[in-house]
Amino acid sequence: MTSFPSFDARAFRSALGCFATGIAVVTTVAPDGAPVGVTVNSFSSVSLDPPLVQFCLARSAGTLAAFSTAKSFVVNVLSADQEDLSARFSRRDVDDRWAGVAQVPTDSGVPALAGCLATLDCDREHLLDGGDHVIVLGRVRALASREDGAPLLYFRGGYARLG
């Protein structure tokens, strides 16, 4: 077995940055009825049967309370031309991040973002401990996807494109 030298948090983040990921905005509705959204790149499928997905939120995230109490959420997989939405939903200093954002209604009542490569309408199944993050596990209840378009990617700390 190979022994690796010790490492710090910066080296760990740098190594993880070598794994290219897609970017999604996960949306829900807060207890007061206000729409909530956050940009994530820690999204993945978990199971095909039953259809389960997961995403991770930092315990310090201002949106954690809404996702912890909401019964449903929507994963909006962003296309390459939606970098503005990724930036908008990742910043804390946006007064009204929903202003001018085109939405699509869902059966669960959670707003989906228009123009995404895919949307997955999910029922929250579990919240799991993930160290300094919370892992949100959801069961997909409905979905839609496009045949065209390229994904918005994240690689080594910045946006990336295919090809």
Side-chain angles (χ1 to χ4, degrees):
M1 186 163 146
T2 303
S3 176
F4 291 99
S6 63
F7 56 88
D8 61 12
R10 177 176 231 172
F12 185 53
R13 285 181 64 105
S14 179
L16 294 177
C18 293
F19 184 69
T21 63
I23 301 175
V25 171
V26 184
T27 55
T28 195
V29 177
D32 66 1
V36 175
V38 63
T39 301
V40 301
N41 70 339
S42 59
F43 164 74
S44 68
S45 63
V46 174
S47 169
L48 295 176
D49 185 17
L52 299 174
V53 296
Q54 67 84 28
F55 70 98
C56 300
L57 278 177
R59 290 190 184 278
S60 62
T63 56
L64 181 59
F67 285 101
S68 296
T69 58
K71 293 181 181 177
S72 301
F73 62 87
V74 172
V75 178
N76 302 272
V77 178
L78 300 184
S79 66
D81 61 351
Q82 292 180 306
E83 189 174 317
D84 60 320
L85 287 176
S86 172
R88 175 187 287 248
F89 284 96
S90 67
R91 289 193 302 259
R92 294 177 190 215
D93 62 350
V94 176
D95 288 333
D96 185 4
R97 65 182 62 212
W98 289 90
V101 174
Q103 301 174 36
V104 177
T106 62
D107 291 342
S108 66
V110 175
L113 305 179
C116 292
L117 289 180
T119 56
L120 297 97
D121 194 2
C122 305
D123 292 328
R124 184 174 52 81
E125 290 274 312
H126 299 287
L127 299 175
L128 306 166
D129 179 26
D132 60 1
H133 281 65
V134 172
I135 302 163
V136 182
L137 184 69
R139 182 182 298 250
V140 180
R141 64 184 357 247
L143 56 82
S145 63
R146 295 179 10 202
E147 295 288 326
D148 64 324
L152 182 59
L153 300 175
Y154 199 71
F155 179 67
R156 290 193 170 148
Y159 294 110
R161 298 195 185 262
L162 290 176

Coordinates of all heavy atoms in Angstrom, one line a residue, residues 30-113:
A30 N -39.2 28.1 1.1 CA -39.1 28.3 2.6 C -40.4 28.2 3.2 O -41.5 28.3 2.6 CB -38.4 29.7 2.8
P31 N -40.4 28.0 4.6 CA -41.7 27.9 5.3 C -42.6 29.1 5.1 O -43.8 29.0 5.1 CB -41.2 27.8 6.8 CG -39.9 27.1 6.7 CD -39.3 27.7 5.4
D32 N -42.0 30.3 4.8 CA -42.8 31.5 4.6 C -43.3 31.6 3.2 O -44.0 32.6 2.8 CB -42.1 32.7 5.0 CG -40.9 33.0 4.2 OD1 -40.6 32.3 3.2 OD2 -40.2 34.0 4.4
G33 N -43.0 30.6 2.3 CA -43.5 30.6 1.0 C -42.5 31.2 0.0 O -42.8 31.2 -1.2
A34 N -41.4 31.8 0.4 CA -40.5 32.4 -0.4 C -39.6 31.4 -1.2 O -39.2 30.4 -0.6 CB -39.5 33.4 0.4
P35 N -39.3 31.6 -2.5 CA -38.5 30.7 -3.2 C -37.0 30.8 -2.7 O -36.6 31.9 -2.3 CB -38.6 31.2 -4.6 CG -39.0 32.6 -4.6 CD -39.8 32.8 -3.3
V36 N -36.3 29.7 -2.7 CA -34.9 29.6 -2.2 C -34.2 28.9 -3.3 O -34.7 27.9 -3.8 CB -34.9 28.9 -0.9 CG1 -33.4 28.7 -0.4 CG2 -35.6 29.6 0.2
G37 N -32.9 29.3 -3.5 CA -32.1 28.6 -4.5 C -30.6 28.7 -4.1 O -30.2 29.7 -3.5
V38 N -29.8 27.7 -4.5 CA -28.4 27.7 -4.2 C -27.7 27.0 -5.3 O -28.2 25.9 -5.8 CB -28.1 27.1 -2.8 CG1 -28.5 25.7 -2.7 CG2 -26.7 27.3 -2.4
T39 N -26.5 27.5 -5.7 CA -25.7 26.8 -6.7 C -24.9 25.7 -6.0 O -24.3 25.9 -4.9 CB -24.7 27.8 -7.3 OG1 -25.5 28.8 -7.9 CG2 -23.8 27.1 -8.4
V40 N -24.9 24.5 -6.6 CA -24.1 23.4 -6.1 C -23.3 22.7 -7.2 O -23.8 22.7 -8.4 CB -25.0 22.3 -5.4 CG1 -25.7 22.9 -4.2 CG2 -25.9 21.6 -6.3
N41 N -22.2 22.1 -6.9 CA -21.5 21.2 -7.8 C -21.3 19.9 -7.2 O -20.7 19.0 -7.8 CB -20.2 21.8 -8.4 CG -19.1 21.9 -7.4 OD1 -19.4 21.9 -6.2 ND2 -17.9 22.0 -7.8
S42 N -21.9 19.7 -6.0 CA -21.8 18.5 -5.3 C -23.1 17.7 -5.4 O -23.8 17.5 -4.4 CB -21.5 18.7 -3.8 OG -22.5 19.5 -3.2
F43 N -23.5 17.4 -6.6 CA -24.7 16.8 -7.0 C -24.4 15.5 -7.7 O -23.5 15.4 -8.5 CB -25.6 17.6 -7.9 CG -26.7 16.9 -8.5 CD1 -27.8 16.4 -7.8 CD2 -26.6 16.6 -9.9 CE1 -28.8 15.7 -8.5 CE2 -27.6 15.8 -10.5 CZ -28.7 15.4 -9.8
S44 N -25.1 14.4 -7.4 CA -24.9 13.1 -8.1 C -26.1 12.2 -7.9 O -26.9 12.4 -7.0 CB -23.7 12.4 -7.6 OG -23.8 11.9 -6.3
S45 N -26.2 11.2 -8.8 CA -27.2 10.2 -8.7 C -26.7 9.2 -7.6 O -25.5 9.1 -7.3 CB -27.4 9.4 -10.0 OG -26.2 8.8 -10.4
V46 N -27.6 8.6 -6.9 CA -27.3 7.6 -5.9 C -27.8 6.3 -6.3 O -27.1 5.3 -6.1 CB -28.0 8.1 -4.5 CG1 -27.7 7.0 -3.4 CG2 -27.4 9.4 -4.1
S47 N -29.0 6.2 -6.8 CA -29.7 4.9 -7.1 C -30.6 5.1 -8.3 O -31.3 6.1 -8.4 CB -30.4 4.4 -5.9 OG -31.3 3.3 -6.2
L48 N -30.7 4.1 -9.1 CA -31.7 4.1 -10.2 C -33.0 3.5 -9.8 O -34.1 3.9 -10.2 CB -31.2 3.2 -11.4 CG -29.9 3.8 -12.1 CD1 -29.5 2.9 -13.2 CD2 -30.2 5.2 -12.7
D49 N -33.0 2.5 -8.8 CA -34.2 1.9 -8.3 C -34.1 1.7 -6.8 O -33.4 0.8 -6.4 CB -34.4 0.6 -9.0 CG -35.7 -0.1 -8.7 OD1 -36.6 0.6 -8.1 OD2 -35.9 -1.3 -8.9
P50 N -34.7 2.6 -6.0 CA -35.5 3.7 -6.4 C -34.7 4.9 -7.0 O -33.4 4.9 -6.7 CB -36.2 4.1 -5.2 CG -35.2 3.8 -4.1 CD -34.6 2.5 -4.6
P51 N -35.3 5.8 -7.7 CA -34.5 6.9 -8.3 C -34.1 8.0 -7.2 O -35.0 8.8 -6.8 CB -35.5 7.5 -9.3 CG -36.8 7.2 -8.8 CD -36.7 5.8 -8.1
L52 N -32.9 7.9 -6.8 CA -32.4 8.8 -5.7 C -31.2 9.6 -6.2 O -30.4 9.2 -7.0 CB -31.9 8.0 -4.5 CG -33.0 7.1 -3.8 CD1 -32.3 6.2 -2.7 CD2 -34.1 7.9 -3.2
V53 N -31.2 10.9 -5.7 CA -30.1 11.8 -6.0 C -29.7 12.4 -4.7 O -30.4 12.4 -3.7 CB -30.5 12.9 -7.0 CG1 -30.8 12.3 -8.4 CG2 -31.7 13.7 -6.5
Q54 N -28.5 13.1 -4.7 CA -28.1 13.8 -3.5 C -27.3 15.0 -3.9 O -26.8 15.1 -5.0 CB -27.1 12.9 -2.6 CG -25.8 12.5 -3.3 CD -24.7 13.5 -3.1 OE1 -24.7 14.3 -2.1 NE2 -23.8 13.6 -4.0
F55 N -27.3 16.0 -3.0 CA -26.5 17.2 -3.1 C -26.0 17.5 -1.7 O -26.6 17.1 -0.7 CB -27.2 18.3 -3.8 CG -28.3 19.0 -3.0 CD1 -28.0 20.1 -2.3 CD2 -29.6 18.5 -3.0 CE1 -29.1 20.8 -1.6 CE2 -30.6 19.1 -2.3 CZ -30.3 20.2 -1.6
C56 N -25.0 18.3 -1.6 CA -24.4 18.7 -0.3 C -24.5 20.2 0.0 O -24.2 20.9 -1.0 CB -23.0 18.2 -0.2 SG -22.7 16.4 -0.4
L57 N -24.8 20.5 1.2 CA -24.8 22.0 1.6 C -23.9 22.2 2.8 O -24.0 21.3 3.7 CB -26.2 22.4 2.0 CG -27.2 22.8 0.9 CD1 -28.6 23.1 1.5 CD2 -26.7 23.9 0.1
A58 N -23.1 23.2 2.8 CA -22.3 23.5 4.0 C -23.2 23.8 5.1 O -24.3 24.4 5.0 CB -21.5 24.8 3.7
R59 N -22.8 23.4 6.3 CA -23.6 23.7 7.5 C -23.8 25.2 7.7 O -24.7 25.6 8.4 CB -23.0 23.0 8.7 CG -23.1 21.5 8.7 CD -22.7 20.9 10.0 NE -22.7 19.4 9.9 CZ -23.8 18.7 10.0 NH1 -24.9 19.3 10.2 NH2 -23.7 17.4 9.9
S60 N -22.8 26.0 7.2 CA -22.9 27.4 7.3 C -23.8 28.1 6.3 O -23.9 29.3 6.4 CB -21.5 28.0 7.3 OG -20.9 27.7 6.0
A61 N -24.3 27.4 5.3 CA -25.1 27.9 4.3 C -26.4 28.6 4.8 O -27.1 28.0 5.6 CB -25.4 26.9 3.2
G62 N -26.7 29.8 4.3 CA -27.9 30.4 4.8 C -29.1 29.7 4.3 O -30.2 30.0 4.8
T63 N -29.0 28.9 3.3 CA -30.2 28.2 2.7 C -30.4 26.8 3.4 O -31.4 26.2 3.1 CB -30.0 27.9 1.2 OG1 -28.7 27.2 1.0 CG2 -29.9 29.2 0.4
L64 N -29.5 26.4 4.3 CA -29.7 25.1 4.9 C -31.0 24.9 5.7 O -31.6 23.9 5.5 CB -28.5 24.8 5.9 CG -28.5 23.4 6.5 CD1 -28.5 22.3 5.5 CD2 -27.3 23.3 7.5
A65 N -31.4 25.9 6.4 CA -32.7 25.8 7.1 C -33.9 25.5 6.2 O -34.7 24.6 6.5 CB -33.0 27.1 7.9
A66 N -33.9 26.2 5.1 CA -35.0 26.0 4.1 C -35.0 24.5 3.6 O -36.0 23.9 3.5 CB -35.0 27.0 3.0
F67 N -33.8 24.1 3.2 CA -33.7 22.7 2.6 C -33.9 21.6 3.7 O -34.3 20.5 3.4 CB -32.4 22.5 1.9 CG -32.4 23.2 0.6 CD1 -31.7 24.4 0.4 CD2 -33.0 22.6 -0.5 CE1 -31.7 25.0 -0.8 CE2 -33.0 23.2 -1.8 CZ -32.3 24.5 -1.9
S68 N -33.6 22.0 4.9 CA -33.8 21.0 6.0 C -35.3 20.8 6.4 O -35.7 19.8 6.9 CB -33.1 21.5 7.3 OG -31.7 21.5 7.0
T69 N -36.1 21.8 6.1 CA -37.5 21.7 6.5 C -38.4 21.5 5.3 O -39.6 21.0 5.5 CB -38.0 23.0 7.2 OG1 -37.8 24.1 6.3 CG2 -37.3 23.2 8.5
A70 N -38.0 21.8 4.1 CA -38.8 21.6 2.9 C -39.1 20.1 2.6 O -38.2 19.3 2.8 CB -38.2 22.3 1.7
K71 N -40.3 19.8 2.1 CA -40.6 18.4 1.8 C -40.1 18.1 0.4 O -39.9 16.9 0.0 CB -42.1 18.2 1.9 CG -42.6 18.3 3.3 CD -44.1 18.0 3.4 CE -44.5 18.1 4.8 NZ -46.0 17.9 4.9
S72 N -39.9 19.1 -0.5 CA -39.5 18.9 -1.9 C -38.4 19.9 -2.3 O -38.2 21.0 -1.7 CB -40.7 19.1 -2.8 OG -41.7 18.2 -2.5
F73 N -37.7 19.5 -3.3 CA -36.7 20.4 -3.9 C -36.6 20.0 -5.4 O -37.0 19.0 -5.8 CB -35.3 20.3 -3.2 CG -34.6 19.0 -3.3 CD1 -33.8 18.6 -4.3 CD2 -34.8 18.1 -2.2 CE1 -33.2 17.4 -4.3 CE2 -34.2 16.9 -2.2 CZ -33.4 16.5 -3.3
V74 N -36.0 21.0 -6.2 CA -35.8 20.7 -7.6 C -34.3 20.9 -7.9 O -33.8 22.0 -7.5 CB -36.7 21.7 -8.5 CG1 -36.3 21.6 -10.0 CG2 -38.2 21.4 -8.3
V75 N -33.7 20.0 -8.6 CA -32.4 20.1 -9.1 C -32.5 20.6 -10.6 O -33.1 20.0 -11.4 CB -31.6 18.8 -9.1 CG1 -30.2 19.0 -9.6 CG2 -31.6 18.2 -7.6
N76 N -31.9 21.8 -10.8 CA -31.8 22.4 -12.1 C -30.4 22.3 -12.7 O -29.5 23.0 -12.2 CB -32.2 23.9 -12.0 CG -33.6 24.1 -11.4 OD1 -34.6 24.1 -12.1 ND2 -33.6 24.3 -10.0
V77 N -30.2 21.4 -13.6 CA -28.9 21.2 -14.2 C -28.6 22.3 -15.3 O -29.3 22.3 -16.3 CB -28.7 19.8 -14.8 CG1 -27.4 19.6 -15.4 CG2 -29.0 18.7 -13.8
L78 N -27.6 23.1 -15.0 CA -27.4 24.3 -15.9 C -26.7 23.9 -17.2 O -25.8 23.1 -17.2 CB -26.6 25.3 -15.1 CG -27.2 25.9 -13.8 CD1 -26.3 27.0 -13.2 CD2 -28.6 26.4 -14.0
S79 N -27.1 24.7 -18.2 CA -26.4 24.6 -19.5 C -25.3 25.6 -19.6 O -25.2 26.5 -18.7 CB -27.4 24.8 -20.6 OG -27.9 26.2 -20.6
A80 N -24.4 25.4 -20.6 CA -23.2 26.3 -20.7 C -23.6 27.8 -20.8 O -22.8 28.6 -20.4 CB -22.4 25.9 -21.9
D81 N -24.8 28.1 -21.3 CA -25.2 29.5 -21.4 C -25.9 30.0 -20.2 O -26.4 31.1 -20.2 CB -26.0 29.7 -22.7 CG -27.3 28.9 -22.6 OD1 -27.5 28.1 -21.8 OD2 -28.1 29.1 -23.5
Q82 N -25.8 29.3 -19.1 CA -26.5 29.8 -17.8 C -25.5 30.1 -16.7 O -25.8 30.0 -15.5 CB -27.5 28.7 -17.4 CG -28.7 28.6 -18.3 CD -29.7 27.6 -17.8 OE1 -29.3 26.4 -17.6 NE2 -30.9 28.0 -17.7
E83 N -24.3 30.5 -17.1 CA -23.3 30.9 -16.1 C -23.8 32.0 -15.2 O -23.5 32.0 -14.0 CB -22.0 31.3 -16.8 CG -20.8 31.5 -15.9 CD -19.5 31.8 -16.7 OE1 -19.3 31.1 -17.7 OE2 -18.8 32.7 -16.3
D84 N -24.6 32.9 -15.8 CA -25.1 34.0 -14.9 C -26.0 33.5 -13.8 O -26.0 34.0 -12.7 CB -25.9 35.0 -15.8 CG -27.1 34.3 -16.5 OD1 -27.0 33.2 -17.0 OD2 -28.2 35.0 -16.6
L85 N -26.8 32.4 -14.0 CA -27.6 31.9 -13.0 C -26.7 31.2 -11.9 O -27.0 31.3 -10.7 CB -28.6 30.8 -13.5 CG -29.8 31.4 -14.3 CD1 -30.6 30.3 -14.9 CD2 -30.6 32.3 -13.4
S86 N -25.7 30.5 -12.3 CA -24.8 29.9 -11.4 C -24.2 31.0 -10.5 O -24.2 30.8 -9.2 CB -23.6 29.2 -12.1 OG -22.6 28.8 -11.2
A87 N -23.7 32.1 -11.0 CA -23.1 33.1 -10.2 C -24.2 33.8 -9.3 O -23.9 34.1 -8.2 CB -22.5 34.2 -11.2
R88 N -25.3 34.0 -9.9 CA -26.4 34.7 -9.1 C -26.8 33.9 -7.9 O -26.9 34.5 -6.8 CB -27.6 34.9 -10.0 CG -28.9 35.4 -9.3 CD -30.1 35.4 -10.2 NE -30.0 36.4 -11.2 CZ -30.8 37.5 -11.3 NH1 -31.7 37.7 -10.4 NH2 -30.7 38.3 -12.2
F89 N -26.9 32.6 -8.0 CA -27.4 31.8 -6.9 C -26.2 31.3 -6.0 O -26.5 30.6 -5.0 CB -28.2 30.6 -7.4 CG -29.6 31.0 -7.8 CD1 -29.9 31.3 -9.1 CD2 -30.6 31.1 -6.8 CE1 -31.2 31.7 -9.5 CE2 -31.9 31.5 -7.2 CZ -32.2 31.8 -8.5
S90 N -25.0 31.7 -6.3 CA -23.9 31.3 -5.4 C -23.5 32.5 -4.6 O -22.8 32.3 -3.6 CB -22.7 30.9 -6.3 OG -22.2 31.9 -7.0
R91 N -23.9 33.7 -4.9 CA -23.5 34.9 -4.1 C -24.5 35.1 -2.9 O -25.6 34.9 -3.0 CB -23.5 36.1 -5.0 CG -22.4 36.2 -6.0 CD -22.2 37.5 -6.7 NE -23.4 38.0 -7.3 CZ -23.6 37.9 -8.6 NH1 -22.7 37.4 -9.4 NH2 -24.8 38.4 -9.1
R92 N -23.9 35.6 -1.9 CA -24.7 35.9 -0.7 C -25.2 37.4 -0.7 O -26.1 37.7 0.0 CB -23.8 35.8 0.6 CG -23.5 34.3 0.8 CD -22.6 34.2 2.0 NE -22.1 32.9 2.1 CZ -21.9 32.2 3.2 NH1 -22.1 32.7 4.3 NH2 -21.4 31.0 3.1
D93 N -24.6 38.2 -1.6 CA -24.9 39.6 -1.6 C -26.0 40.1 -2.5 O -26.2 41.2 -2.8 CB -23.6 40.5 -1.8 CG -23.0 40.2 -3.2 OD1 -23.5 39.2 -3.9 OD2 -22.1 40.9 -3.6
V94 N -26.7 39.1 -3.1 CA -27.8 39.5 -4.1 C -29.0 39.7 -3.3 O -29.5 38.8 -2.6 CB -28.0 38.4 -5.1 CG1 -29.1 38.7 -6.0 CG2 -26.7 38.1 -5.9
D95 N -29.6 40.9 -3.4 CA -30.8 41.3 -2.6 C -32.0 40.4 -3.0 O -32.6 39.9 -2.2 CB -31.1 42.8 -2.7 CG -30.1 43.6 -2.0 OD1 -29.5 43.2 -1.0 OD2 -29.9 44.8 -2.4
D96 N -32.2 40.4 -4.3 CA -33.3 39.6 -4.8 C -32.8 38.7 -6.0 O -32.9 39.1 -7.1 CB -34.5 40.5 -5.3 CG -35.7 39.7 -5.7 OD1 -35.7 38.5 -5.5 OD2 -36.7 40.3 -6.1
R97 N -32.3 37.6 -5.6 CA -31.7 36.7 -6.6 C -32.7 36.2 -7.6 O -32.4 35.7 -8.6 CB -30.9 35.6 -5.9 CG -31.7 34.6 -5.1 CD -30.8 33.6 -4.5 NE -29.9 34.2 -3.6 CZ -28.7 33.8 -3.3 NH1 -28.2 32.7 -3.8 NH2 -27.9 34.4 -2.5
W98 N -34.0 36.3 -7.3 CA -35.1 35.7 -8.2 C -35.6 36.8 -9.2 O -36.3 36.5 -10.1 CB -36.2 35.2 -7.3 CG -35.8 33.9 -6.6 CD1 -35.3 33.8 -5.4 CD2 -35.9 32.6 -7.2 NE1 -35.1 32.5 -5.1 CE2 -35.4 31.7 -6.2 CE3 -36.4 32.1 -8.4 CZ2 -35.4 30.3 -6.4 CZ3 -36.3 30.7 -8.6 CH2 -35.8 29.9 -7.6
A99 N -35.2 38.1 -9.0 CA -35.6 39.1 -9.9 C -35.3 38.8 -11.3 O -34.1 38.6 -11.7 CB -35.1 40.5 -9.4
G100 N -36.3 38.8 -12.2 CA -36.1 38.5 -13.6 C -35.7 37.1 -14.0 O -35.5 36.9 -15.2
V101 N -35.8 36.2 -13.1 CA -35.4 34.8 -13.4 C -36.7 34.1 -13.9 O -37.7 34.0 -13.2 CB -34.8 34.1 -12.1 CG1 -34.6 32.6 -12.4 CG2 -33.5 34.7 -11.7
A102 N -36.6 33.5 -15.1 CA -37.7 32.8 -15.7 C -37.9 31.5 -15.0 O -36.9 30.7 -14.8 CB -37.5 32.6 -17.2
Q103 N -39.1 31.2 -14.6 CA -39.4 30.0 -13.8 C -40.4 29.1 -14.5 O -41.2 29.6 -15.3 CB -40.0 30.4 -12.4 CG -39.1 31.2 -11.6 CD -39.7 31.7 -10.3 OE1 -40.5 31.0 -9.7 NE2 -39.4 32.9 -9.9
V104 N -40.4 27.8 -14.2 CA -41.3 26.9 -14.7 C -42.0 26.2 -13.5 O -41.3 25.8 -12.6 CB -40.6 25.8 -15.5 CG1 -41.5 24.7 -16.0 CG2 -39.8 26.4 -16.7
P105 N -43.3 26.1 -13.5 CA -44.0 25.5 -12.4 C -43.8 24.0 -12.4 O -43.5 23.4 -13.4 CB -45.5 25.8 -12.6 CG -45.6 26.1 -14.1 CD -44.3 26.6 -14.5
T106 N -43.8 23.4 -11.2 CA -43.7 21.9 -11.0 C -44.8 21.4 -10.2 O -45.5 22.2 -9.5 CB -42.4 21.6 -10.3 OG1 -42.4 22.1 -9.0 CG2 -41.1 22.1 -11.0
D107 N -45.0 20.1 -10.3 CA -46.1 19.5 -9.5 C -45.9 19.7 -8.0 O -46.9 19.8 -7.3 CB -46.2 18.0 -9.8 CG -46.7 17.7 -11.2 OD1 -47.3 18.6 -11.8 OD2 -46.5 16.6 -11.7
S108 N -44.7 19.7 -7.5 CA -44.4 19.9 -6.1 C -44.7 21.3 -5.6 O -44.7 21.6 -4.4 CB -43.0 19.4 -5.8 OG -42.1 20.3 -6.3
G109 N -44.8 22.3 -6.5 CA -44.9 23.7 -6.2 C -43.6 24.4 -6.0 O -43.5 25.6 -5.7
V110 N -42.5 23.7 -6.2 CA -41.1 24.3 -6.1 C -40.8 24.9 -7.5 O -41.0 24.2 -8.5 CB -40.1 23.2 -5.7 CG1 -38.7 23.8 -5.7 CG2 -40.4 22.7 -4.3
P111 N -40.3 26.1 -7.5 CA -40.0 26.7 -8.8 C -38.8 26.0 -9.5 O -37.8 25.8 -8.8 CB -39.7 28.2 -8.5 CG -39.3 28.2 -7.1 CD -40.0 27.0 -6.4
A112 N -38.9 25.7 -10.8 CA -37.8 25.2 -11.6 C -37.3 26.4 -12.4 O -38.1 27.3 -12.7 CB -38.2 24.1 -12.4
L113 N -36.1 26.4 -12.8 CA -35.5 27.4 -13.6 C -35.7 27.1 -15.1 O -35.5 25.9 -15.5 CB -34.0 27.6 -13.3 CG -33.7 27.9 -11.9 CD1 -32.2 28.0 -11.7 CD2 -34.4 29.1 -11.4

